[in-house]
Amino acid sequence: AQSVTQLDSQVPVFEEAPVELRCNYSSSVSVYLFWYVQYPNQGLQLLLKYLSGSTLVESINGFEAEFNKSQTSFHLRKPSVHISDTAEYFCAVSSSGGSYIPTFGRGTSLIVHP
Amino acid sequence: NAGVTQTPKFRILKIGQSMTLQCTQDMNHNYMYWYRQDPGMGLKLIYYSVGAGITDKGEVPNGYNVSRSTTEDFPLRLELAAPSQTSVYFCASSWRETEAFFGQGTRLTVV
């Protein structure tokens, strides 16, 4: 079985400050990890993914996440946030143990204040 | 490419009514999914399919049914709607271990 825990339901931060959204997973086999972003009244969009190779992955809009196998974590970071980053962020895991079906965390609401 | 298309976007149902949520993808993905999203609860898997003619239950299948007669289409059927089925429903598709592509969602209210 696989599962995902997002440790913070809400993260308030001021504009231009750094932010970290935490994600821990559990799985007994090799995993594929994803971060999705959801803007109000929209579907989820992929932000970044780890499938294999380098453990540090980046998005085009400045987010990055690091796959840490020993800590079973995949935390999302951004060194300087913008108002437009305000959204819901979901961490997801898939694995052969879960038939490659993605399991999602409960989401973290990032609120960026001016 | 349209990606994943869901219809309708909004619907109000009376208790006991039935409806079908439509989902179509044009990316030739083999995997398709239906999730429901409730506030603070993340996404819960209702049903999934790994190819035409193959479907299986997810975490919360009660009160729902699916079929997959083609690669492109994966409709979700609600029989005898109940207030507990008030939610936002998302259809998604993917290749096996790669990222999922989501539709825009269907906001369903059962009154």
Side-chain angles (χ1 to χ4, degrees):
Chain A
Q2 61 192 26
S3 65
V4 175
T5 302
Q6 290 184 245
L7 296 162
D8 306 294
S9 60
Q10 203 172 84
V11 173
V13 64
F14 286 106
E15 195 173 19
E16 298 183 8
V19 71
E20 178 179 80
L21 307 183
R22 296 178 292 171
C23 172
N24 286 91
Y25 68 90
S26 75
S27 174
S28 58
V29 296
S30 296
V31 296
Y32 306 97
L33 294 158
F34 309 88
W35 275 100
Y36 291 85
V37 59
Q38 185 182 33
Y39 299 104
N41 300 314
Q42 293 189 24
L44 279 70
Q45 308 168 33
L46 181 72
L47 189 60
L48 46 75
K49 62 185 176 185
Y50 170 78
L51 300 181
S52 65
S54 172
T55 57
L56 183 65
V57 292
E58 299 176 352
S59 73
I60 59 172
N61 58 350
F63 283 94
E64 66 177 31
E66 185 159 20
F67 169 51
N68 187 322
K69 189 174 181 179
S70 63
Q71 301 287 325
T72 61
S73 68
F74 191 56
H75 301 330
L76 182 70
R77 301 183 181 93
K78 189 171 186 180
S80 175
V81 295
H82 303 289
I83 295 285
S84 59
D85 292 324
T86 295
E88 192 84 13
Y89 291 80
F90 292 93
C91 183
V93 63
S94 73
S95 67
S96 60
S99 301
Y100 301 102
I101 309 303
T103 297
F104 288 82
R106 291 193 171 194
T108 298
S109 179
L110 175 63
I111 302 168
V112 182
H113 297 287
Chain B
N1 285 350
V4 178
T5 302
Q6 288 183 241
T7 56
K9 288 187 170 51
F10 304 93
R11 184 71 186 268
I12 298 175
L13 276 183
K14 294 185 178 179
I15 294 171
Q17 287 185 321
S18 301
M19 76 166 293
T20 299
L21 281 66
Q22 302 291 345
C23 176
T24 299
Q25 54 98 2
D26 62 0
M27 296 170 283
N28 205 31
H29 286 159
N30 50 352
Y31 282 51
M32 294 189 74
Y33 322 90
W34 275 104
Y35 291 91
R36 59 177 287 171
Q37 182 180 25
D38 301 297
M41 301 301 292
L43 278 76
K44 301 286 189 185
L45 182 67
I46 304 171
Y47 271 94
Y48 68 95
S49 168
V50 300
I54 306 169
T55 62
D56 208 346
K57 296 178 181 179
E59 186 180 356
V60 290
N62 291 344
Y64 308 95
N65 255 309
V66 294
S67 60
R68 184 125 180 245
S69 56
T70 66
T71 299
E72 295 79 18
D73 299 309
F74 190 43
L76 177 72
R77 178 81 178 163
L78 278 73
E79 304 282 3
L80 299 174
S84 60
Q85 293 177 304
T86 293
S87 188
V88 181
Y89 292 84
F90 288 101
C91 179
S93 70
S94 73
W95 291 111
R96 193 180 67 175
E97 67 268 21
T98 61
E99 68 270 25
F101 290 77
F102 282 80
Q104 291 295 293
T106 297
R107 189 173 296 272
L108 175 67
T109 303
V110 181
V111 296

